[in-house]
C-alpha cells in the first residue's frame, strides 16, 4: 500500500492549486476544481490533476500528493485518437480508402473462428464495429505481446455482430499494422512525424518496449495499491502505448478539433458517429452532458493511470484530467466534473 494512501483520511491535507485566469474568462468561478478533490477522497485515487486550456490561457488544479502539472504519465487509449488521425491523413492523401477491406493491406492475417478480413473494412476498425474480440480481455492488459500475437489471441474467439459497436483494442492494433504496411514506417514514427513534432508535443512519445517513464513523473498505482510505475507498454501497443502530459493532450485535442490536422471534410468524417450508432466516431467519442452540451474526446486506462480529455467541438476549450491509478471508483464524479467545466453556470 503506497504511503500516500494514509493521507486520504485527513481531507484537510488535500491541496487544490489553481492558477489565476484572465478576468475576461466566461467562467469566473472554476467550479470544476471543487470536483477534483472527491476524485481522491471518493474516487479512490492517491492523487488527481486537471489542466484546462481555453482562449484566455490555462488553469491547473491538483489534489493529493506525488502529482505535478509537468508529469509524464501513460495515456492508455487516448493513443487511439492519434492513430485514427494518422489513418485519416493517409485517406486524405489517397493512400487508402476507409472502404478498403482489411485484407487489402494485411492479406490472410484476419482469418479464424469466423473472423474474415475480407469482410471487414478500415471503417469497421476505426469505429469499433468490426466485431473482433478484444485481446486484452485475455491478457488482462498486463501481458506484453507483439501486434501479431495480439491479433492471433483475438482470432481464437468468434466475432460479435459486425456493424454493431463493440469496443475492442484489437481494432487499433490492426490499424497500426495497416499504417506500417502503407508507409513503410511504424505507426509511432508516422504519429511523431505528422502530429507530435509539428505540434511541439515535447512531452509525448511512443515508448515501444521502454518500461520507465521520462522525467519528471510521479508514481502509478494499481487498484490494490501496488506500484506499477514500471510497465511494458507492449501490453497495449497501438491501442494504448502513448506516454504524454496534460499540456500536450490539451494542445493535441485543441489542434485536432480546431482543424489544424485534418481538413473540414475529414474532420467531419472523424466526428460522424452513425456507423457506431452514436457511440463513437473515429478515435473520438461524444458525451452529452445533462445540461445538453456535447463534448468530444477520449478516455485512457492502463495499469496505474486513468486519463480523460474532453473538448468543445471547435477545440476552443479543452479539459484533461488524470488520476494515478487505474480508474475512478465513483462513476458519477467524471460527468460531474465535465458538467462543472462545460455547462453554462448562472451567476
Amino acid at each position: 500500500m503506497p504511503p500516500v494512501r494514509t493521507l486520504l483520511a485527513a481531507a484537510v491535507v488535500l491541496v487544490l492549486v489553481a492558477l489565476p485566469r484572465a478576468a475576461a474568462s466566461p467562467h469566473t468561478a472554476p467550479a470544476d476544481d471543487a470536483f477534483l478533490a472527491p476524485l481522491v477522497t471518493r474516487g479512490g485515487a492517491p492523487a488527481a490533476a486537471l489542466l484546462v486550456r481555453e482562449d484566455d490561457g490555462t488553469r491547473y488544479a491538483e489534489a493529493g500528493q506525488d502529482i505535478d502539472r509537468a508529469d509524464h504519465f501513460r495515456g492508455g487509449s487516448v493513443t487511439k485518437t492519434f492513430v485514427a488521425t494518422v489513418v485519416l491523413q493517409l485517406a486524405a492523401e489517397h493512400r487508402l480508402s476507409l472502404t478498403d477491406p482489411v485484407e487489402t493491406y494485411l492479406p490472410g492475417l484476419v482469418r479464424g473462428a469466423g473472423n474474415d478480413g475480407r469482410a471487414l473494412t478500415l471503417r469497421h476498425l476505426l469505429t469499433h464495429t468490426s466485431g473482433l474480440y478484444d485481446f486484452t480481455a485475455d491478457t488482462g492488459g498486463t501481458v506484453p505481446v507483439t501486434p501479431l500475437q495480439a491479433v492471433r489471441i483475438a482470432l481464437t474467439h468468434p466475432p460479435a455482430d459486425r456493424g454493431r459497436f463493440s469496443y475492442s483494442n484489437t481494432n487499433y492494433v490492426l490499424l497500426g499494422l495497416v499504417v506500417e504496411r502503407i508507409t513503410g514506417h511504424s505507426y509511432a514514427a508516422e504519429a511523431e512525424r505528422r502530429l507530435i513534432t509539428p505540434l511541439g508535443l515535447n512531452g509525448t512519445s511512443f515508448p515501444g518496449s521502454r518500461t520507465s517513464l521520462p522525467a519528471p513523473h510521479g508514481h502509478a498505482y494499481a487498484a490494490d495499491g501496488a506500484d506499477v510505475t514500471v510497465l511494458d507498454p507492449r501490453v497495449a501497443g497501438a491501442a494504448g502505448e502513448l506516454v504524454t502530459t496534460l499540456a500536450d493532450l490539451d494542445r493535441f485535442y485543441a489542434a485536432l478539433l480546431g482543424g489544424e490536422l485534418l481538413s473540414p471534410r475529414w474532420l467531419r468524417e472523424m466526428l460522424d458517429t452513425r456507423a457506431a450508432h452514436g457511440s463513437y466516431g473515429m478515435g473520438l467519442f461524444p458525451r452529452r452532458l445533462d445540461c445538453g452540451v456535447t463534448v468530444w474526446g477520449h478516455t485512457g486506462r492502463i495499469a496505474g493511470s486513468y486519463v480523460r480529455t474532453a473538448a468543445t467541438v471547435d477545440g476552443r476549450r479543452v479539459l484533461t484530467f488524470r488520476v494515478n491509478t487505474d480508474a475512478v471508483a465513483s462513476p458519477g464524479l467524471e460527468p460531474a466534473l465535465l458538467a462543472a467545466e462545460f455547462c453554462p453556470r448562472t451567476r
Side-chain angles (χ1 to χ4, degrees):
M1 187 69 69
V4 296
R5 298 277 187 173
T6 63
L7 301 175
L8 299 184
V12 294
V13 302
L14 296 177
V15 180
L16 283 177
V17 181
L19 299 183
R21 307 168 78 181
S25 171
H27 289 266
T28 58
D32 46 26
D33 296 350
F35 288 89
L36 194 61
L39 291 173
V40 176
T41 55
R42 288 191 286 125
L50 68 80
L51 184 67
V52 176
R53 175 191 176 105
E54 52 195 340
D55 289 342
D56 60 359
T58 61
R59 173 166 41 83
Y60 173 70
E62 68 182 45
Q65 303 292 315
D66 194 29
I67 201 163
D68 188 75
R69 176 174 179 155
D71 280 349
H72 296 81
F73 56 87
R74 302 190 190 282
S77 285
V78 297
T79 307
K80 293 180 174 68
T81 315
F82 286 74
V83 172
T85 303
V86 169
V87 172
L88 290 171
Q89 286 186 347
L90 290 170
E93 296 164 8
H94 306 289
R95 300 176 71 179
L96 60 82
S97 170
L98 302 188
T99 59
D100 288 340
V102 175
E103 181 80 6
T104 301
Y105 305 102
L106 305 172
L109 178 60
V110 183
R111 302 282 181 88
N115 299 282
D116 190 343
R118 294 169 296 185
L120 300 178
T121 67
L122 300 185
R123 185 183 300 277
H124 284 126
L125 301 182
L126 285 161
T127 59
H128 292 294
T129 55
S130 69
L132 291 169
Y133 183 80
D134 185 351
F135 76 94
T136 64
D138 282 7
T139 65
T142 60
V143 179
V145 291
T146 67
L148 291 179
Q149 287 172 333
V151 174
R152 288 169 183 150
I153 290 169
L155 295 178
T156 63
H157 298 268
D161 293 337
R162 187 171 65 250
R164 181 174 63 85
F165 175 72
S166 180
Y167 190 90
S168 173
N169 289 294
T170 307
N171 292 317
Y172 276 74
V173 170
L174 284 167
L175 287 169
L177 292 171
V178 169
V179 169
E180 183 172 356
R181 180 61 61 91
I182 291 171
T183 67
H185 307 115
S186 69
Y187 64 86
E190 285 296 309
E192 288 167 1
R193 180 176 73 85
R194 293 167 175 271
L195 311 176
I196 293 172
T197 299
L199 293 178
L201 306 181
N202 298 322
T204 298
S205 63
F206 289 86
S209 60
R210 189 181 70 237
T211 60
S212 61
L213 287 168
H217 67 83
H219 287 264
Y221 301 102
D224 63 1
D227 190 316
V228 290
T229 308
V230 175
L231 179 75
D232 191 325
R234 291 175 298 177
V235 301
E241 175 189 344
L242 200 71
V243 167
T244 188
T245 66
L246 292 171
D248 277 6
L249 286 185
D250 279 2
R251 168 67 179 130
F252 170 69
Y253 282 92
L256 175 60
L257 291 164
E260 295 182 41
L261 300 175
L262 296 171
S263 69
R265 174 197 168 184
W266 290 103
L267 186 54
R268 286 194 301 271
E269 191 82 47
M270 191 177 214
L271 299 175
D272 188 344
T273 64
R274 288 177 294 178
H277 307 288
S279 297
Y280 201 87
M282 298 180 182
L284 287 171
F285 65 84
R287 175 66 184 263
R288 183 176 174 84
L289 305 177
D290 287 344
C291 63
V293 172
T294 296
V295 294
W296 290 84
H298 215 288
T299 56
R301 179 180 287 115
I302 194 168
S305 179
Y306 178 81
V307 59
R308 172 68 156 110
T309 296
T312 54
V313 72
D314 59 5
R316 296 184 65 178
R317 181 184 297 274
V318 187
L319 176 151
T320 300
F321 81 83
R322 75 176 186 99
V323 296
N324 57 356
T325 190
D326 299 356
V328 176
S330 181
L333 292 176
E334 181 174 315
L337 191 153
L338 296 181
E341 178 61 36
F342 292 101
C343 289
R345 293 195 287 270
T346 58
R347 307 277 176 87

